[in-house]
Amino acid sequence: MSYDIRLIRNVNDIRGIIIQEMREKEFLPAVRDRLGIEELNEMQKKMMASASEPHDIILLSPTGSGKTLAFTLPVMKLMKPSTGRVQCVVIAPSRELVVQIAGVMKEVAQTLRVVALYGGHNVEDEVNSLKVVPDIIVSTPGRLLDHAVRRNVDLLPVRILVLDEFDKSLELGFEEEMGKIVRRMKNVSRYILTSATTCDTLPEFLNLESPSTFNYLDRNEELHTRMSVHRVASDGKDKLDTLLKLLHTINKGPSPLKSIIFVNHRESAERVAEFLIKNKVSAVLYHGALDQRERETALSLFNNGSRPVLVATDLAARGLDIEKVASVIHYHQPLTPEAYTHRNGRTARVEEEGDVYVLVGPEEEVKEFVLFDDELTLDTSLKSNLYSGYVTLYISAGKREKVSRGDILGFLIKEGGINPEEIGKINVFDHYSLAAVKTVVAKRLLESVSGKKLKKEKRRISLLKE
């Protein structure tokens, strides 16, 4: 590990560096073994090294560049063994982003306790999770302030404060809530702010001291080399028929690839999703009017491959933990350049390649920030399979019932009589779980597990309906 000898002022500094080196040896194997990341990228290495410097940090980095891990690394180096007090708080603007960050931190933290707090989550479960004081809290602003006001959590000892996507938080009007939270944290010695876009001014309640800015926004240009943008002309203003033809054109394999279709309004999302499902497309709907459980379920179905086509508003443009999205489709053109950037950032992530399709209706004006690589001619004769080969099982037990992914996997293999290769992704939530299985074995599996006990209890196991 390298550091600037000029920054070492006394024996406490030396002790701190030794502790950081020890912490690094603890959590880096978890990055490799639990997250499957063999080598850190340049940004992540730079951020990890920044923990040895006494400066606050502003990280500007595009979507899909590994930003969550980039700020997690210095946090882990700065953490002390559990003290019975909250050491670090991460504030993010959306529930989905909170869940994603907490998931990464839990994998890396190992011996440290991480708790996620957000609206739509069961409040009683959250209060119970705070009875054993966590080392790290990841939360939306409103939910964290509510717990602080109710004295469910003491924010005074917090030493490290991370504001992820702070520009988005300000756009959504969280500035007042964030100000009230920060004023309760009188012992913060390290701020880390992240954003995927530049921000001209910082909130007045932040007292950053000579912050170091790490700007990786030029990676957007590098990202474009792995992403192709195609114009798709639509004969009709409605575009639904063109969208269906596009999906048939770009999906030539045995099952559809993951695609996100972006629209500008909830009503449009519902109409597009309904149309696709009627036309035998394995699609699922995602927007802000859905409750938390519906949104969790939609993302699980998309991620596990049983519904590989996601129809969404811009809520899905940021902060979602979505793997291997082959294409982004703009059913409606985005309203701002920032929205366009974030939508496109859902594909071609972390060295992968991806395609972006923009549907353009007759006489529709193309936004000045939308630049095309080519125009795609649709093959109207193609009739591809747009139905997934997986379905999802609902299981009426989750983390609070002490059920793990391993428990479910073992149960399906032993009691269901199927092979591990016939089981897809398993998601375990607080009080329920979802497991993808191949469609061809689903009926036989359900018959086999009927009446059987999972973790010594009979659980309701059924096929998740549309």
Side-chain angles (χ1 to χ4, degrees):
M1 175 180 175
S2 62
Y3 49 86
D4 191 338
I5 196 70
R6 292 170 297 179
L7 297 176
I8 301 177
R9 294 181 296 273
N10 53 47
V11 68
N12 289 326
D13 284 352
I14 297 173
R15 186 181 296 115
I17 289 171
I18 293 172
I19 291 172
Q20 287 179 14
E21 288 179 332
M22 293 172 63
R23 292 282 304 139
E24 188 174 321
K25 290 178 181 178
E26 288 178 8
F27 66 74
L28 278 183
V31 172
R32 181 187 65 246
D33 299 337
R34 300 177 72 89
L35 297 180
I37 297 174
E38 293 294 334
E39 186 175 356
L40 302 179
N41 63 32
E42 176 194 342
M43 175 184 67
Q44 292 161 346
K45 290 177 181 177
K46 182 72 173 176
M47 285 291 289
M48 186 167 65
S50 71
S52 302
E53 302 175 2
H55 300 295
D56 296 321
I57 298 168
I58 298 175
L59 174 61
L60 305 176
S61 178
T63 301
S65 58
K67 179 165 53 65
T68 300
L69 182 58
F71 71 71
T72 295
L73 294 171
V75 166
M76 291 303 157
K77 286 184 67 172
L78 292 166
M79 293 292 290
K80 299 176 181 177
S82 292
T83 61
R85 296 183 174 186
V86 181
Q87 299 184 56
C88 173
V89 166
V90 182
I91 298 177
S94 70
R95 306 168 186 176
E96 289 76 12
L97 193 51
V98 165
V99 171
Q100 178 200 336
I101 294 168
V104 171
M105 288 191 144
K106 285 177 182 178
E107 295 292 357
V108 178
Q110 299 289 307
T111 58
L112 299 173
R113 191 161 182 269
V114 181
V115 166
L117 311 173
Y118 50 90
H121 203 199
N122 187 292
V123 176
E124 185 178 346
D125 285 344
E126 289 189 350
V127 172
N128 290 334
S129 71
L130 292 168
K131 287 180 179 178
V132 178
V133 179
D135 303 285
I136 300 171
I137 291 176
V138 186
S139 181
T140 51
R143 184 52 67 95
L144 181 60
L145 182 60
D146 184 61
H147 280 296
V149 169
R150 295 172 186 271
R151 298 187 178 180
N152 296 328
V153 61
D154 180 13
L155 298 178
L156 186 60
V158 174
R159 300 183 296 107
I160 308 162
L161 175 60
V162 181
L163 303 182
D164 190 31
E165 302 279 16
F166 72 89
D167 60 322
K168 188 65 174 178
S169 295
L170 300 183
E171 284 177 21
L172 295 175
F174 289 140
E175 185 167 355
E176 183 178 352
E177 291 176 334
M178 289 167 59
K180 290 179 180 178
I181 293 168
V182 172
R183 283 187 279 273
R184 289 173 175 267
M185 302 180 187
K186 301 185 183 300
N187 293 300
V188 172
S189 57
R190 185 68 61 94
Y191 290 92
I192 301 176
L193 277 62
T194 83
S195 174
T197 56
T198 55
C199 191
D200 296 331
T201 58
L202 295 176
E204 292 184 2
F205 56 79
L206 292 177
N207 185 27
L208 273 63
E209 294 186 12
S210 304
S212 298
T213 299
F214 300 150
N215 190 338
Y216 290 88
L217 293 179
D218 59 354
R219 297 298 191 274
N220 278 321
E221 294 300 320
E222 186 271 332
L223 173 65
H224 191 74
T225 65
R226 295 183 281 108
M227 176 191 299
S228 298
V229 182
H230 314 278
R231 178 185 177 121
V232 181
S234 176
D235 295 334
K237 189 176 179 180
D238 192 289
K239 302 181 185 177
L240 286 175
D241 288 335
T242 303
L243 174 62
L244 185 59
K245 291 173 184 175
L246 172 62
L247 290 173
H248 279 294
T249 299
I250 64 177
N251 287 288
K252 298 172 183 175
S255 60
L257 300 172
K258 283 185 184 175
S259 299
I260 303 179
I261 301 167
F262 281 106
V263 299
N264 288 344
H265 311 287
R266 295 171 182 171
E267 297 79 8
S268 301
E270 291 169 357
R271 190 168 65 90
V272 171
E274 183 180 0
F275 171 82
L276 293 178
I277 292 169
K278 282 183 178 179
N279 283 275
K280 299 182 178 179
V281 180
S282 290
V284 65
L285 176 68
Y286 184 85
H287 60 59
L290 302 176
D291 65 33
Q292 180 61 24
R293 185 156 174 166
E294 290 172 324
R295 285 155 67 171
E296 286 177 346
T297 299
L299 291 179
S300 296
L301 294 175
F302 182 61
N303 257 335
N304 71 22
S306 60
R307 303 287 181 81
V309 177
L310 183 72
V311 183
T313 59
D314 281 334
L315 180 66
R318 289 196 191 208
L320 300 186
D321 186 14
I322 298 174
E323 304 166 353
K324 299 186 182 303
V325 176
S327 60
V328 163
I329 301 172
H330 299 275
Y331 184 85
H332 292 142
Q333 291 185 61
L335 301 178
T336 65
E338 291 77 18
Y340 183 63
T341 297
H342 289 300
R343 285 182 179 186
N344 292 349
R346 295 296 93 199
T347 189
R349 296 171 71 84
V350 193
E351 308 306 324
E352 294 176 354
E353 295 184 352
D355 288 284
V356 173
Y357 302 91
V358 183
L359 274 61
V360 182
E363 301 180 7
E364 181 180 357
E365 186 177 343
V366 177
K367 304 281 187 181
E368 61 181 12
F369 51 81
V370 178
L371 302 175
F372 299 109
D373 294 312
D374 57 44
E375 181 159 356
L376 181 68
T377 301
L378 301 180
D379 188 339
T380 56
S381 66
L382 276 176
K383 293 296 178 183
S384 305
N385 174 37
L386 298 178
Y387 214 73
S388 172
Y390 280 86
V391 292
T392 294
L393 302 180
Y394 168 86
I395 301 163
S396 64
K399 297 174 186 174
R400 300 291 175 179
E401 290 74 35
K402 308 298 183 185
V403 170
S404 68
R405 285 193 293 263
D407 294 328
I408 294 171
L409 178 64
F411 174 78
L412 295 178
I413 293 171
K414 181 181 177 182
E415 304 294 351
I418 62 175
N419 299 319
E421 297 78 21
E422 296 170 318
I423 303 171
K425 196 175 182 71
I426 298 172
N427 294 99
V428 181
F429 299 98
D430 282 347
H431 295 291
Y432 73 102
S433 303
L434 302 174
V437 298
K438 287 191 175 180
T439 306
V440 293
V441 302
K443 183 179 179 181
R444 172 167 57 85
L445 184 150
L446 287 172
E447 291 173 351
S448 298
V449 300
S450 178
K452 301 290 177 63
K453 292 182 178 181
L454 170 61
K455 291 293 287 280
K456 300 181 180 180
E457 295 282 347
K458 287 185 180 180
R459 316 288 185 181
R460 182 160 66 88
I461 302 176
S462 60
L463 194 64
L464 195 68
K465 300 295 184 181
E466 292 182 2

